[in-house]
Amino acid sequence: MNDITRHSAAELSHALATGELSAVEVTTAHLERIAEVDGEVHAFLHVDGEGALAAARRVDEQRAAGEELHVLAGVPIAVKDVLATRGLPTTCGSRILQGWVPPYDATVVARLRAAGLPVLGKTNMDEFAMGSSTEHSAYGPTRNPWDLDRIPGGSGGGSSAAVAAFEAPLAIGTDTGGSIRPPAAVTGTVGVKPTYGGVSRYGLVALASSLDQAGPCTRSVLDAALLHSVIGGHDPMDSTSIDAPVPPVVEAARRADVQGLRVGVVRELGGEGYQAGVRQRFEEAVDLLVGAGAEVVEVSCPHFDYALAAYYLILPSEASSNLAKFDAMRYGLRVLPAGVDEPSAEQVMAATRDAGFGDEVKRRIILGTYALSSGYYDAYYGQAQKVRTLIARDFEQAFQQVDVLVSPTAPTTAFRLGDKLDDPMSMYLQDVATIPANLAGVPGMSLPTGVTDEDGLPAGIQVLAPAMKDDRLYGVGAALERLLLEKWGAPLLAHAPVLTAKGA
Amino acid sequence: MTGTATAVDEVVDYDEALRRYDPVLGLEVHVELNTATKMFCGCATAFGADPNTQVCPVCLGLPGALPVVNERAVESAIRIGLALNCQIAQWCRFARKNYFYPDMPKNFQTSQYDEPIAFEGHLDVELEDGEVFRVLIERAHMEEDTGKSLHIGGATGRIHGADHSLVDYNRAGIPLIEIVTKPVTGVGERAPEVARAYVAALRELLRALQVSDVRMEQGSLRCDANVSLRARAVDGQAQDDVPLGTRTETKNVNSLRSVERAVRFEISRQAAVLDAGRPVVQETRHWHEDTGVTTSGRVKSDAEDYRYFPEPDLVPVAPSRETVAQLRATLPEPPGLRRKRLQGDWGYSDLEMRDVVNAGAVELIEETVDAGATPAAARKWWTGELARRANAEGRSVEDFGVTPSHIAELDGLVRSGRLNDSMARQVLDGVMGGEGTPTEVADARGLTLVQDEGALEAAVDKVIAANPDVAEKVRGGKVQAAGALIGQVMKEMRGQADAGKARQLILDRLGAA
């Protein structure tokens, strides 16, 4: 085990600033850790050791030259493979983009590079972010560092597992309905979905444009805040990006104050369908907040019951259109139809899409194509948009009573690989608590509440705040994190089994 | 269906067709805006660049790229809407039109669906004989152009029979405004003329707005003509109560003349189909300039479903009242009013003005007059000499390199007495040949009227002496006979004399003035 990889990003930042560690040392340590354990975890689809070390060397040179550097300069990071990285393969976990190397950087990636964070590589994900287990990756599943037979959540299981397995101190995930938060919950890490429009989507290969949002995957709330402030803020390349300063997330995380804060427990997100241990840890966490001076009330958001149904119309509709561009004409996979002498462009498109997309992607393209069809549009897509408005109103009314809302992040702890592959509905239900935030565009955070008694696996609490009040998540999250740490005596991940190179 | 055998459609005599059927038009015009950059990215829009040199991740539709609306294009769209007397939406969205085609990088076109930026307007169009029709505008909406496919191999340049195809994405993402009329009814036999006049009036308006190059041959203005026929109303029935027939949409109509011919052809063709008791097929048809016919393209079945939905990557367009008012203040004088004003200023007859308009020479003449020419001379040069040369060479007068200031200068040289008409035409040859300005050409070629009165008088005397019979006729009052003497004087002077002066001198000498 390597000590450097056990540090938080904030600690590494301090060690780098004082000269205790160099960026090359920190990056090398993480590359070694990846080499040691990723054969088991499979968090990465592509590791860019050379590029990361070059970036680290540049930071060390700049520091030696006395240049003013970003607080996270020299702290390495892993990036979900759904963000375009110039010169680095970007597959979105799909066969159809195998070998595609983008000629440009996503804005998030450009900001990471500008701040001097060496990019370690690209992390595994469910194909085009469709899934809740990372089992729908065309390149094989990622395994949960807590139990290699279990899923790390999804779609961003690679990013959360990389952070949980100490392969990276920081990672970028994306969250369309829960691709950052439930993976954080089941891997014992922290994950934040910022306010929609708070982080640029330019270069994020769209699943559902109106729901997608990139955000931090970390092991501490402060680390998430530091990363959030690097990637957040207005981007003229994204029309839907909010033209306002990033909320004061780092200050809120440092203050970690819940005195007098009004916390609402969402009645509809809990109870039936939620694992007993998940509920128990959640309730204890809420009690800790009460003990720290928060006022807790129960609030009702009645339309949340329809969120999953609305989501599974809006998402596939947008996805069916967003994924149309993968047609073998300009980039990516090209498959010629068997037994056709001179295939037309349309035949090549069809053959390629048939071979290049996995079943879950095809399922959702078909769903979305159907929902948008003339004669069905009003009944499906149109109706779902109405539900979306009602859910946004539920949030507005709830936030008139309370400052933040809380719920368990995911209904269960990590399930076993393969358990839900043949049961899409059961898989979709993993995101039942996180989807409302995406539909309304409000920010959400998941942080660990402990391990459950029944299976010893991590569970998480979700905190939700009004749009552009992301700082509230960090205030509550950091306060709760400190209280839990006092209770446990050590970070939760210290209890995770030790991963060692197997068969290496 | 393959394109191997092209069936020749039967047609009914046009007048015959009109006796039995009432034609209804619908015109869809796509206008490429002349903004410096594309609709949703910063790429250049220049025509004729090397293939795929004006592209970026956005207009190539690369994974992850996002569109950002070109504010200039929105302004142009609003100005077009206002000039077409439309209402301007206070809030509207873009929509995705989903269909697969290799020249469309995202396999959806970002367009507008049920929330166009401009709607409910009209355009008054004047036919050649001065009759005015009001064409109602349904909507004008913003969208992006597609790339261009080039089909290699095969005889027709069409996809059928081609070996392979190349795609140029330079055009992908160029801002387009689609202007759609309401059904144009009540025009009867004049439908082809109205169609042509509408496109001409629209082109004139767009040119005055300076929002587009409106060059039909380059595709910056493209017209799709929808035509349907319905039965003539029977006794006591209003024609508008007769239900509309099935329409066809004819594409590839790339000149004003083609618009008129294509509509005329479709009326004759559909009449033949209906006469034979068959239904008109709802389809896209292609116009063939060379043969003057339309042929069947793709059948527009009910199954065609573009699955429109609001574009989630863009925010709504919501122009404020102030913005719209400011844009309204930038509108040019409506072309119809402007024509009337100019006709008065210039003193042209109705016929003369119509010739000028039909020749597309209003701007040229205006600039020429502004540069100092008389209106009569400006018209004479542009719609006479230059138009004649353009016709003879199958070129456009704009391609000659002759500017309004050249013509004004030339007119000045004539009026000052330095050049006569035939010399002026020689000077024009030189200007067109790139030899310089009219003065430079006249100097270089030594073209100048002889101002030496003595030489002219000597020539006149010589010619009178040599033609006593003719001189006698003139003395006797047959003034027109002087023409023969003038011709000979000009010949004596090798063309470099002022014919007016020569005539005056002859009449003076013979006492006939």
Side-chain angles (χ1 to χ4, degrees):
Chain A
M1 201 187 87
N2 190 318
D3 274 338
I4 292 176
T5 61
R6 291 271 155 174
H7 291 308
S8 71
E11 289 162 354
L12 290 171
S13 160
H14 182 74
L16 287 161
T18 58
E20 198 183 316
L21 287 172
S22 73
V24 168
E25 284 175 296
V26 173
T27 300
T28 303
H30 285 96
L31 289 170
E32 284 171 4
R33 174 71 178 171
I34 292 169
E36 187 188 348
V37 304
D38 207 53
E40 294 291 328
V41 180
H42 193 226
F44 284 86
L45 291 177
H46 182 83
V47 177
D48 183 27
E50 217 170 285
L53 284 170
R57 268 194 296 278
R58 217 158 28 243
V59 169
D60 286 339
E61 285 160 15
Q62 287 169 326
R63 206 183 297 276
E67 286 179 38
E68 199 168 315
L69 294 170
H70 189 275
V71 63
L72 289 179
V75 179
I77 189 161
V79 175
K80 190 176 180 182
D81 204 31
V82 73
L83 288 149
T85 43
R86 189 188 179 107
L88 273 184
T90 299
T91 68
C92 299
S94 180
R95 200 61 77 189
I96 210 162
L97 272 178
Q98 194 163 19
W100 184 58
V101 178
Y104 77 106
D105 271 334
T107 297
V108 164
V109 174
R111 288 182 179 179
L112 294 175
R113 294 198 204 272
L117 283 80
V119 174
L120 294 167
K122 307 296 290 291
T123 58
N124 198 12
M125 56 188 284
D126 284 301
E127 184 175 6
F128 288 108
M130 298 184 193
S132 305
S133 68
T134 317
E135 291 168 290
H136 292 302
S137 167
Y139 305 99
T142 296
R143 291 162 186 273
N144 192 323
W146 286 81
D147 178 346
L148 294 173
D149 289 333
R150 290 178 188 266
I151 59 102
S155 67
S159 284
S160 295
V163 170
F166 301 97
E167 296 175 84
L170 302 168
I172 297 292
T174 62
D175 189 314
T176 303
S179 286
I180 289 176
R181 290 161 291 161
V186 300
T187 57
T189 57
V190 176
V192 178
K193 181 202 91 74
T195 298
Y196 181 79
V199 176
S200 170
R201 290 188 298 114
Y202 188 77
L204 191 176
V205 182
L207 165 55
S209 309
S210 72
L211 302 164
D212 296 341
Q213 191 61 200
C217 303
T218 63
R219 291 189 297 266
S220 81
V221 173
L222 177 60
D223 283 1
L226 292 170
L227 182 52
H228 190 146
S229 62
V230 175
I231 61 174
H234 182 242
D235 176 13
M237 299 292 278
D238 175 1
S239 311
T240 62
S241 123
I242 295 169
D243 192 0
V246 182
V249 291
V250 175
E251 292 85 333
R254 291 197 194 282
R255 208 162 46 241
D257 182 19
V258 292
Q259 185 66 46
L261 192 83
R262 295 169 302 164
V263 176
V265 176
V266 185
R267 184 185 301 153
E268 288 76 11
L269 304 180
E272 202 190 331
Y274 288 75
Q275 192 179 316
V278 169
R279 265 161 39 198
Q280 196 185 339
R281 293 289 98 86
F282 169 72
E283 280 154 19
E284 289 164 8
V286 172
D287 289 344
L288 285 177
L289 290 175
V290 173
E295 296 169 25
V296 174
V297 294
E298 190 181 71
V299 296
S300 175
C301 296
H303 299 98
F304 283 16
D305 288 346
Y306 308 104
L308 192 74
Y311 177 82
Y312 274 100
L313 289 167
I314 292 168
L315 176 140
S317 296
E318 292 185 12
S320 69
S321 173
N322 283 331
L323 269 59
K325 60 166 65 84
F326 303 104
D327 64 0
M329 294 295 114
R330 290 161 301 277
Y331 46 78
L333 186 73
R334 176 175 290 184
V335 174
L336 301 179
V340 183
D341 275 349
E342 289 179 11
S344 67
E346 286 77 5
Q347 287 171 318
V348 174
M349 287 180 183
T352 302
R353 288 167 67 82
D354 184 32
F357 287 141
D359 286 349
E360 182 61 25
V361 173
K362 287 177 189 164
R363 176 160 33 234
R364 296 200 200 183
I365 288 175
I366 291 167
L367 255 173
T369 303
Y370 182 73
L372 288 176
S373 296
S374 159
Y376 298 96
Y377 180 92
D378 290 338
Y380 294 121
Y381 186 81
Q383 202 68 9
Q385 290 292 7
K386 288 179 193 162
V387 171
R388 189 172 189 173
T389 303
L390 294 173
I391 286 166
R393 281 191 200 150
D394 278 0
F395 271 115
E396 276 167 38
Q397 280 165 13
F399 287 129
Q400 283 169 7
Q401 304 166 53
V402 296
D403 300 307
V404 295
L405 295 169
V406 293
S407 78
T409 309
T412 68
T413 55
F415 49 86
R416 287 183 192 282
L417 287 163
D419 262 9
K420 302 197 175 183
L421 263 182
D422 298 326
D423 186 357
M425 262 315 287
S426 151
M427 187 80 92
Y428 296 170
L429 280 165
Q430 282 302 109
D431 295 336
V432 71
T434 47
I435 281 170
N438 298 80
L439 288 172
V442 304
M445 171 189 280
S446 176
L447 69 153
T449 50
V451 294
T452 66
D453 295 340
E454 59 266 29
D455 55 20
L457 291 167
I461 180 174
Q462 168 179 243
V463 188
L464 302 168
M468 288 309 282
K469 302 290 184 195
D470 304 48
D471 48 317
R472 290 189 194 165
L473 307 179
Y474 290 94
V476 177
L480 183 58
E481 179 182 59
R482 193 168 61 200
L483 295 165
L484 286 165
L485 208 57
E486 281 168 15
K487 186 171 156 187
W488 301 329
L492 189 68
L493 280 164
H495 302 296
V498 174
L499 290 170
T500 50
K502 227 194 287 176
Chain B
M1 228 181 78
T2 66
T4 46
T6 306
V8 178
D9 289 295
E10 285 180 32
V11 293
V12 167
D13 173 73
Y14 184 72
D15 296 328
E16 193 63 29
L18 263 296
R19 265 191 286 281
R20 288 194 288 279
Y21 303 103
D22 177 47
V24 176
L25 299 174
L27 298 158
E28 293 175 19
V29 171
H30 286 85
V31 185
E32 270 185 3
L33 297 181
N34 59 2
T35 50
T37 58
K38 292 186 179 180
M39 188 74 219
F40 300 115
C41 65
C43 285
T45 55
F47 181 81
D50 284 343
N52 298 312
T53 54
Q54 293 174 166
V55 294
C56 74
V58 177
C59 58
L60 282 178
L62 293 190
L66 294 174
V68 176
V69 171
N70 180 339
E71 292 296 331
R72 290 275 146 177
V74 175
E75 286 174 12
S76 291
I78 293 173
R79 292 179 72 237
I80 290 169
L82 291 171
L84 289 170
N85 308 292
C86 287
Q87 297 186 52
I88 303 302
Q90 290 175 20
W91 189 91
C92 65
R93 287 178 295 186
F94 285 92
R96 291 188 185 177
K97 180 181 184 180
N98 295 286
Y99 65 98
F100 283 83
Y101 203 78
D103 68 13
M104 205 165 52
K106 299 169 299 197
N107 285 323
F108 62 78
Q109 181 188 30
T110 305
S111 179
Q112 292 195 288
Y113 181 47
D114 49 1
E115 300 169 9
I117 182 82
F119 51 95
E120 302 282 326
H122 65 263
L123 179 64
D124 289 334
V125 304
E126 192 177 337
L127 304 190
E128 288 224 3
D129 62 0
E131 193 176 350
V132 175
F133 281 95
R134 171 161 290 190
V135 175
L136 299 181
I137 306 295
E138 166 122 1
R139 56 190 279 152
H141 73 247
M142 302 178 278
E143 60 186 31
E144 58 180 338
D145 212 340
T146 60
K148 234 183 219 169
S149 298
L150 188 62
H151 304 296
I152 310 293
T156 59
R158 303 265 297 274
I159 193 162
H160 289 299
D163 294 332
H164 64 279
S165 303
L166 298 172
V167 190
D168 176 7
Y169 293 105
N170 283 350
R171 199 180 71 175
I174 287 185
L176 284 184
I177 305 298
E178 181 176 338
I179 300 163
V180 183
T181 67
K182 288 185 190 285
V184 180
T185 59
V187 290
E189 63 184 12
R190 309 207 69 176
E193 286 172 81
V194 170
R196 176 194 177 123
Y198 167 74
V199 178
L202 194 56
R203 191 175 67 166
E204 189 181 26
L205 182 70
L206 294 164
R207 196 180 275 146
L209 286 165
Q210 297 183 324
V211 293
S212 169
D213 300 339
V214 290
R215 299 187 72 150
M216 294 184 83
E217 74 284 4
Q218 289 187 357
S220 56
L221 188 148
R222 310 197 279 270
C223 178
D224 300 339
N226 290 274
V227 177
S228 66
L229 298 183
R230 57 179 167 179
R232 282 270 170 213
V234 292
D235 289 344
Q237 187 185 25
Q239 185 64 56
D240 279 346
D241 289 342
V242 180
L244 298 178
T246 303
R247 69 188 159 84
T248 59
E249 180 180 0
T250 302
K251 291 190 176 286
N252 194 31
V253 198
N254 293 331
S255 70
L256 291 180
R257 191 163 160 266
S258 297
V259 172
E260 185 169 349
R261 290 172 72 208
V263 169
R264 197 180 169 92
F265 178 84
E266 266 303 285
I267 290 172
S268 291
R269 186 192 68 84
Q270 289 185 20
V273 171
L274 294 170
D275 279 356
R278 284 178 284 128
V280 171
V281 178
Q282 187 175 342
E283 63 183 351
T284 297
R285 297 185 68 86
H286 291 281
W287 167 249
H288 301 274
E289 180 80 49
D290 48 353
T291 49
V293 302
T294 65
T295 57
S296 178
R298 145 179 79 97
V299 173
K300 280 210 161 185
S301 67
D302 292 336
E304 189 147 27
D305 182 353
Y306 293 121
R307 289 171 282 118
Y308 282 101
F309 73 105
E311 166 59 276
D313 284 330
L314 290 169
V315 291
V317 174
S320 68
R321 279 175 208 279
E322 294 72 40
T323 303
V324 173
Q326 279 163 14
L327 291 171
R328 192 187 292 277
T330 68
L331 294 186
E333 184 181 10
L337 292 181
R338 178 161 170 269
R339 274 202 306 276
K340 288 212 166 52
R341 175 177 61 78
L342 291 173
Q343 186 184 349
D345 290 351
W346 295 340
Y348 291 175
S349 69
D350 287 351
L351 191 66
E352 286 169 343
M353 192 64 196
R354 199 171 304 136
D355 285 347
V356 167
V357 170
N358 290 339
V362 175
E363 281 75 25
L364 288 170
I365 289 174
E366 188 180 28
E367 287 172 38
T368 307
V369 170
D370 286 349
T374 65
R379 184 177 65 79
K380 188 188 74 176
W381 283 110
W382 287 112
T383 64
E385 184 65 21
L386 283 160
R388 187 157 50 243
R389 292 183 188 217
N391 281 343
E393 297 176 30
R395 295 166 71 187
S396 148
V397 288
E398 283 93 346
D399 298 336
F400 284 145
V402 178
T403 65
S405 59
H406 285 149
I407 297 302
E409 191 179 329
L410 196 58
D411 179 46
L413 292 173
V414 172
R415 276 192 291 150
S416 73
R418 174 168 177 183
L419 302 179
N420 60 24
D421 281 355
S422 89
M423 291 161 81
R425 279 194 291 276
Q426 291 176 54
V427 168
L428 187 64
D429 290 338
V431 173
M432 284 169 55
E435 293 171 27
T437 65
T439 305
E440 287 164 2
V441 173
D443 289 349
R445 293 193 174 192
L447 290 167
T448 187
L449 285 175
V450 173
Q451 301 293 337
D452 180 349
E453 298 278 324
L456 185 59
E457 283 174 25
V460 167
D461 291 342
K462 188 179 167 191
V463 168
I464 289 174
N467 297 278
D469 297 354
V470 182
E472 199 50 45
K473 279 186 190 159
V474 177
R475 275 198 198 90
K478 289 198 73 176
V479 178
Q480 52 284 37
L485 299 176
I486 296 167
Q488 290 196 39
V489 169
M490 295 304 286
K491 206 170 166 187
E492 279 294 315
M493 299 294 292
R494 289 187 304 280
Q496 305 209 342
D498 183 334
K501 265 187 192 160
R503 176 188 165 85
Q504 197 56 50
L505 262 177
I506 290 165
L507 295 180
D508 284 351
R509 284 281 197 279
L510 299 176

